[in-house]
Amino acid sequence: MGYDPANPLKDRITDIGPPHYEQFFPPVIKKNYGKWLYHEIVKPGVLKHVAESGDECYTARVACARLISGELMRDYCKIADDHCDGFLRFTTRNNVEFMVDNAAKVQPLLDALAKHGQMPVGGTGAGVTNIVHTQGWVHCHTPATDASGVVKAVMDELFPYFTSMTLPAQVRVALACCLNMCGAVHCSDIAILGVHRKPPMIDHERIGGVCEIPLAIAACPLGAIKPKTEELESGEKVKSVTVNNDKCMFCGNCYTMCPAMPLADPEGDGIAILVGGKISNRRSTPKFSKLVIPFLPNNPPRWPETVAAVKGILEVYAKDAKKYERVGEWAERIGWERFYEKCNIPFSDKSIDDYRLAYDTWRTTTQFKFTSHIK
Amino acid sequence: MPKHDTPLLDQLESGPWPSFVTDLKRQAKTKDQCWDILGQVELSYKDRVTHWKHGGIVGVFGYGGGVIGRYSDVPAKFPGVAHFHTVRVNQPSSKFYSTKCLLDVIEMWDRRGSGMFNMHGSTGDMVLLGTTTDQLEDIFWELTHNMNMDLGGSGGNLRTPSCCLGRARCEWGCYDTQAACHNITNTYQDELHRPAFPYKFKIKFSGCPNDCVAAIARSDFAVIGTWRDDIRIDQAAVAKYVSGEYVPNGGAHAGRDWGKFDIKAEVIDLCPTGCMSMEGGQLKIDNAECTRCMHCLNAMPRALRPGKDQGATILIGAKAPILEGAQIATMIVPFIKMEGEFEEMKALVEKCWDWWMEEGKNRERIGESIQRIGLPTFLKIMGVEPLPQHTKEPRSNPYVFWKDEEVEGGFDRDVKAFRQRHAM
Ligand code: HEM
Ligand code: HEM
Ligand code: HEM
Ligand code: HEM
Ligand code: SF4
Ligand code: SF4
Ligand code: SF4
Ligand code: SF4
């Protein structure tokens, strides 16, 4: 039995979709499905849900690097087998959740997690939970920075906020390693975004072989790429392209369509910081994150500039915001000019939008604050 | 014995957060190619650029997605990752697993891949990281035959749908997000596995306006639970919040003194519509004015519950910035029921697809197509009446695109007759 290359279509099964979710529910979840009354966070990382039946479900939320080994997953499974009837779940933000149906089972579960050493409990309520992130240098071809390493460095530093709930509201941090934003970081309280700053190089020798030139030209949102006949060192004339560097916004879309137009560069690439986005509809409507730091260098393995920037913003917010206020709501209340001042973030022409719809972000009122920026 | 020196990565082994480096080294004891991942990433840390090549087209027979080709640009140094493709496995709704299911996948991946995972990818799939082309058909065979699992989507197709855990463990799920996600995923297997769209199309299901799967920011078609009758109030529980017996906001604030819970300051005055009041010790909500922002329910979960007439709001067109700029999804249908086989929702999805497959340009997300043709035209295509709810505020320009048939007498006029009355 098994796949037979000589007869690939024999007994083939396709389009069965994912396994049915219900078989993976712990008994207390299955029994009380749709009948939950309320929840309470017992302590950081431990949730209690109470059902109409009076049944209780306790959940321990555990940090996970997302990039994980089968070996570590076996450890998760062992704990789930020992404590949780053989079930567990992963959250949208890459945490692992272990559920038990009785208060007495909580401490033994927490003890087992603590004993393991790579399973810190937290990520609930008014704190910082896991960072949603992408692949970076571990597995992608277009990144302007790494993902897993930056996340590790940032979360090591923000760890006290993972295991406590002392912030005014929850803070969602996200990372995407290029403008493609596979991780969709554009609505996060604090977003870490990999950016390029040099236009693509053009490999005239290879471009004809590996790219559809019209597609590469069409790929550029700003029309910066034009066809050009190029003379190679051999004297041979080939069809290629030229890039108007003044028009380029370093989005990498051309490289996506054409491998002969690479733009990654150790000096050119780095990180931009965006803040103030949110997804939930709570109180204010969902918001985009805004770019407040246009560039920080890639400085592996611990990206100290990025870590300091994220932590700096978080700590000013923690001190200054009112209870329930998200980062973006706080910045809007105090005014963005005050945000720059309080967070000690330099303002430059790079912080003023000049892309499409830029006018929406220019000030069109006499109402502003006299901060230290006005000399 | 380390196969490569990794002095930079080694610095990521300290600190309280789980270390992917420590974990990779552990896996490397049995899976040699994990040393080559470590070696290549170390080289990237030194060079400050990626060492993965542009992808290539690989896959399993009959599917147009689900596998992403990945090749090292330094294969001689790191032969274990010369070919290192990703396999996307469609996750079960809201990512509950039995250990049996996981252990079967782990065992298979130990034999046929690197043993490394992403739990999970940004779209929601379980991501198996790193294998070679010759393994793909065997992996697919084992997944479908032995584990009852299937591949997820990649490319210009329906991407693997995902959902919040909703009714499984949350009191606010206004419809059955997991059933909806499972049903839609299975109904549209062809759209998921055989790319025929201009570009990717993502569907995400959140049970309430808290939107825990970020549907409004990350999906072309967001289904967000809501209700249209009155918030259910338990006045006795309200009194217990006021007296301090119940901890506010589900205990989300702890370890810092915010003062005693003040229902006026923390709930009534923070309601964005100002539709709440206390009268004679009773909490009153003017439900007609409530916009269901969830603040009061989040703040007092034991006292307030969503209404009983529950369903979902449909928002369309969210996307990341490439190319025209980021978009948050636009509210299109204020309320549908999410019942039975979810017919009402499926009819809307199919209307979107029929139009977008016809009119969408190559690599244009539906949100961009809608921007291009305008919301009024899109509403017509969807068969939705224009409502004041579709806009945040009235338009401020007078450039209305009237149509010939909408203006009395039409556009065709006789310029000669005009000249007889008005000299040049
Ligand atoms: C033609 C263009 C693109 C190609 C060929 C491409 C290819 C890839 C490949 C091969 C991966 C690696 C997956 C892996 O090996 O694990 C990947 C990851 C990813 N790509 Fe792209 N990509 C392209 C454009 C984009 C764009 C425009 C976005 C987002 C807007 C995007 C978002 C992502 C994300 C989020 C991931 C990582 C997902 C995760 O780690 O969870 N990609 N892409
Ligand atoms: C050929 C082009 C593209 C490829 C191959 C590609 C591939 C991917 C991959 C592999 C992921 C990660 C999925 C996962 O592992 O969970 C992803 C996520 C994502 N991509 Fe793309 N992508 C492409 C183009 C784009 C473009 C142009 C955009 C934006 C306009 C985009 C926006 C996103 C977003 C927002 C996510 C994350 C959203 C989510 O997780 O729900 N992608 N893409
Ligand atoms: C065919 C197009 C238009 C014509 C012929 C026109 C003509 C005029 C005239 C003759 C005045 C009076 C100026 C005066 O007596 O001092 C005026 C005032 C004004 N117009 Fe227009 N206009 C046109 C379009 C617009 C548009 C499109 C806008 C704005 C979007 C606009 C904004 C204004 C404003 C703000 C004033 C000043 C009103 C005030 O005194 O408070 N106009 N326009
Ligand atoms: C297509 C657009 C427009 C056309 C065809 C147009 C045409 C004219 C014409 C023919 C006049 C002269 C009227 C006269 O005194 O005989 C005029 C005057 C004027 N227009 Fe416009 N206009 C346009 C847009 C605007 C806009 C957008 C504004 C203001 C924002 C504007 C403001 C004025 C003002 C203030 C005067 C009076 C000037 C004065 O009396 O000294 N116009 N316009
Ligand atoms: S964000 Fe960019 S670099 Fe990072 S995984 Fe996605 S496509 Fe690759
Ligand atoms: S990086 Fe973007 S803007 Fe620059 S040439 Fe390429 S596609 Fe055009
Ligand atoms: S979106 Fe709403 S229903 Fe779903 S898990 Fe979050 S709070 Fe609960
Ligand atoms: S849900 Fe929001 S708008 Fe409605 S009453 Fe509560 S706080 Fe006010």
Side-chain angles (χ1 to χ4, degrees):
Chain A
M1 269 298 286
Y3 175 70
D4 175 7
N7 200 351
L9 292 186
K10 184 163 172 291
D11 296 333
R12 198 172 183 82
I13 299 178
T14 68
D15 299 289
I16 53 172
H20 198 275
Y21 52 94
E22 208 182 72
Q23 61 191 300
F24 302 136
F25 286 163
V28 65
I29 296 283
K30 197 164 174 175
K31 179 179 162 207
N32 297 290
Y33 195 82
K35 303 212 164 58
W36 296 99
L37 264 187
Y38 69 90
H39 76 278
E40 219 168 87
I41 303 169
V42 187
K43 58 178 181 176
V46 182
L47 298 145
K48 168 186 170 183
H49 285 83
V50 180
E52 288 169 5
S53 63
D55 284 355
E56 294 177 346
C57 174
Y58 291 85
T59 304
R61 185 173 290 169
V62 169
C64 160
R66 192 184 85 135
L67 171 61
I68 55 175
S69 68
E71 293 292 312
L72 181 59
M73 291 235 278
R74 286 198 172 92
D75 294 349
Y76 291 148
C77 289
K78 174 83 171 65
I79 289 179
D81 281 334
D82 289 350
H83 298 266
C84 313
D85 300 315
F87 299 102
L88 70 166
R89 101 170 258 271
F90 292 82
T91 71
T92 305
R93 303 192 71 89
N94 310 322
N95 294 306
V96 191
E97 289 186 339
F98 296 93
M99 286 151 281
V100 294
D101 56 10
N102 178 328
K105 297 180 181 171
V106 175
Q107 198 53 49
L109 168 63
L110 294 178
D111 292 343
L113 295 169
K115 194 165 152 230
H116 184 278
Q118 294 273 323
M119 300 191 188
V121 173
T124 54
V128 176
T129 185
N130 207 339
I131 297 185
V132 167
H133 63 276
T134 48
Q135 302 289 14
W137 295 335
V138 170
H139 213 245
C140 191
H141 62 296
T142 67
T145 188
D146 188 33
S148 303
V150 187
V151 166
K152 164 78 173 143
V154 170
M155 284 313 290
D156 273 343
E157 198 64 28
L158 300 190
F159 192 70
Y161 296 99
F162 179 78
T163 53
S164 69
M165 305 192 292
T166 56
L167 295 174
Q170 72 268 40
V171 173
R172 303 290 192 229
V173 185
L175 178 147
C177 30
C178 83
L179 300 196
N180 284 335
M181 283 199 199
C182 303
V185 305
H186 57 286
C187 294
S188 311
D189 292 283
I190 302 180
I192 303 165
L193 177 64
V195 292
H196 302 288
R197 292 187 307 167
K198 295 191 184 181
M201 300 172 275
I202 302 157
D203 188 346
H204 299 296
E205 312 237 337
R206 317 282 304 282
I207 192 164
V210 295
C211 305
E212 295 277 354
I213 288 177
L215 284 184
I217 292 168
C220 180
L222 296 181
I225 308 175
K226 294 271 178 293
K228 186 164 183 248
T229 303
E230 192 71 26
E231 193 173 320
L232 301 182
E233 274 168 30
S234 64
E236 186 194 351
K237 290 210 166 127
V238 293
K239 288 209 169 86
S240 184
V241 299
T242 174
V243 171
N244 179 345
N245 290 345
D246 292 339
K247 276 193 177 177
C248 178
M249 63 170 172
F250 322 108
C251 67
N253 218 44
C254 47
Y255 178 62
T256 292
M257 297 309 285
C258 174
M261 299 181 71
L263 70 169
D265 185 89
E267 268 76 43
D269 297 352
I271 282 174
I273 304 287
L274 295 83
V275 307
K278 75 192 265 283
I279 282 158
S280 152
N281 287 272
R282 187 174 191 174
R283 294 182 54 215
S284 63
T285 54
K287 299 178 200 299
F288 287 128
S289 321
K290 282 99 181 149
L291 184 136
V292 296
I293 304 181
F295 186 79
L296 296 168
N298 269 330
N299 197 353
R302 283 204 166 263
W303 281 267
E305 298 84 356
T306 298
V307 171
V310 172
K311 192 174 178 193
I313 294 167
L314 183 74
E315 299 205 320
V316 176
Y317 157 79
K319 264 217 308 276
D320 204 59
K322 296 181 178 171
K323 191 178 178 189
Y324 300 114
E325 227 168 27
R326 296 284 293 265
V327 173
E329 293 168 336
W330 162 68
E332 283 174 14
R333 175 172 60 78
I334 63 171
W336 285 97
E337 65 270 48
R338 186 71 76 208
F339 168 89
Y340 280 102
E341 189 180 66
K342 286 198 170 185
C343 295
N344 202 13
I345 295 173
F347 191 90
S348 77
D349 60 340
K350 304 290 180 296
S351 311
I352 300 179
D353 194 354
D354 50 4
Y355 194 55
R356 294 165 192 168
L357 308 178
Y359 173 79
D360 288 355
T361 62
W362 300 346
R363 188 169 317 248
T364 51
T365 165
T366 56
Q367 299 181 23
F368 56 81
K369 294 186 179 177
F370 285 102
T371 56
S372 54
H373 299 97
I374 299 177
K375 297 290 183 297
Chain B
M1 261 305 283
K3 183 169 156 191
H4 309 287
D5 284 331
T6 54
L8 293 170
L9 284 175
D10 293 350
Q11 296 176 48
L12 289 173
E13 291 204 78
S14 57
W17 194 252
S19 169
F20 69 98
V21 177
T22 307
D23 195 23
L24 268 165
K25 285 187 180 172
R26 183 174 164 201
Q27 191 75 16
K29 287 189 184 133
T30 52
K31 301 295 296 183
D32 188 57
Q33 67 249 59
C34 289
W35 268 122
D36 285 344
I37 314 177
L38 283 161
Q40 181 169 318
V41 175
E42 176 75 16
L43 186 62
S44 278
Y45 273 45
K46 205 162 130 247
D47 297 346
R48 291 184 288 155
V49 287
T50 190
H51 280 288
W52 296 106
K53 276 203 255 195
H54 220 272
I57 298 187
V58 289
V60 300
F61 184 80
Y63 279 16
V67 183
I68 299 169
R70 185 58 66 243
Y71 304 90
S72 170
D73 70 8
V74 276
K77 273 202 186 102
F78 307 111
V81 296
H83 298 225
F84 209 63
H85 312 322
T86 299
V87 180
R88 291 187 180 184
V89 177
N90 199 150
Q91 82 288 2
S93 279
S94 82
K95 311 186 190 88
F96 284 88
Y97 292 96
S98 66
T99 54
K100 165 154 190 349
C101 168
L102 287 180
L103 290 168
D104 285 349
V105 178
I106 296 165
E107 188 278 327
M108 182 277 286
W109 196 234
D110 264 350
R111 273 185 290 113
R112 302 207 173 274
S114 71
M116 292 303 296
F117 295 80
N118 281 152
M119 296 298 278
H120 293 73
S122 302
T123 302
D125 298 285
M126 178 195 281
V127 171
L128 313 188
L129 215 57
T131 191
T132 49
T133 310
D134 59 346
Q135 291 290 335
L136 294 173
E137 288 294 346
D138 289 289
I139 290 166
F140 182 65
W141 174 280
E142 291 198 31
L143 281 172
T144 50
H145 285 77
N146 305 345
M147 284 156 236
N148 195 26
M149 293 179 109
D150 200 347
L151 300 186
S154 64
N157 61 354
L158 173 63
R159 291 295 175 84
T160 311
S162 68
C163 63
C164 79
L165 92 174
R167 289 184 173 171
R169 207 194 59 204
C170 177
E171 62 269 34
W172 293 317
C174 289
Y175 69 95
D176 192 335
T177 51
Q178 322 199 53
C181 186
H182 191 75
N183 185 309
I184 266 62
T185 309
N186 281 294
T187 305
Y188 298 116
Q189 284 290 300
D190 197 38
E191 285 78 3
L192 186 77
H193 289 137
R194 280 161 281 272
F197 292 162
Y199 204 0
K200 64 175 78 167
F201 193 93
K202 296 182 179 177
I203 305 180
K204 291 187 190 292
F205 301 88
S206 274
C208 82
N210 283 333
D211 194 3
C212 293
V213 285
I216 205 165
R218 308 204 307 177
S219 54
D220 300 274
F221 195 100
V223 185
I224 302 183
T226 195
W227 64 95
R228 56 180 170 186
D229 53 348
D230 296 352
I231 292 175
R232 287 176 279 172
I233 308 181
D234 176 348
Q235 297 290 356
V238 174
K240 288 185 180 164
Y241 279 108
V242 172
S243 72
E245 187 175 330
Y246 289 166
V247 42
N249 214 40
H253 296 87
R256 170 165 169 185
D257 186 11
W258 289 100
K260 184 177 176 310
F261 176 69
D262 176 349
I263 193 169
K264 180 163 182 322
E266 294 187 37
V267 182
I268 295 173
D269 290 353
L270 292 186
C271 166
T273 64
C275 69
M276 312 182 86
S277 58
M278 281 302 264
E279 288 169 29
Q282 302 269 298
L283 180 69
K284 290 266 177 315
I285 300 178
D286 184 354
N287 280 283
E289 301 307 312
C290 165
T291 50
R292 302 169 309 288
C293 79
M294 292 299 293
H295 173 64
C296 58
L297 294 93
N298 291 337
M300 303 193 295
R302 301 182 71 164
L304 302 177
R305 304 179 70 190
K308 285 182 164 165
D309 186 7
Q310 302 182 334
T313 299
I314 304 295
L315 301 99
I316 299 181
K319 53 179 281 292
I322 301 276
L323 303 165
E324 296 291 332
Q327 285 178 220
I328 294 175
T330 303
M331 201 285 291
I332 300 293
V333 184
F335 189 86
I336 60 169
K337 280 292 192 186
M338 289 290 287
E339 287 167 350
E341 296 290 307
F342 309 101
E343 275 86 8
E344 224 177 322
M345 181 204 148
K346 285 178 190 162
L348 290 168
V349 168
E350 287 171 20
K351 256 187 219 162
C352 282
W353 289 347
D354 286 348
W355 165 72
W356 182 54
M357 283 170 75
E358 204 56 40
E359 301 294 330
K361 296 184 180 166
N362 184 32
R363 302 231 309 137
E364 182 179 66
R365 292 285 284 268
I366 194 167
E368 291 164 323
S369 312
I370 296 170
Q371 286 244 30
R372 180 163 53 78
I373 62 154
L375 183 56
T377 308
F378 182 67
L379 292 176
K380 256 190 212 114
I381 289 156
M382 295 297 288
V384 176
E385 281 291 311
L387 303 166
Q389 283 84 348
H390 285 126
T391 60
K392 283 184 211 157
E393 58 182 23
R395 62 193 297 161
S396 51
N397 69 67
Y399 304 136
V400 175
F401 291 98
W402 295 101
K403 301 238 162 12
D404 186 6
E405 63 277 12
E406 289 170 335
V407 184
E408 294 76 8
F411 287 177
D412 263 345
R413 286 172 293 162
D414 184 352
V415 71
K416 288 213 175 85
F418 176 82
R419 269 297 152 247
Q420 281 169 8
R421 284 178 272 122
H422 304 277
M424 260 289 250

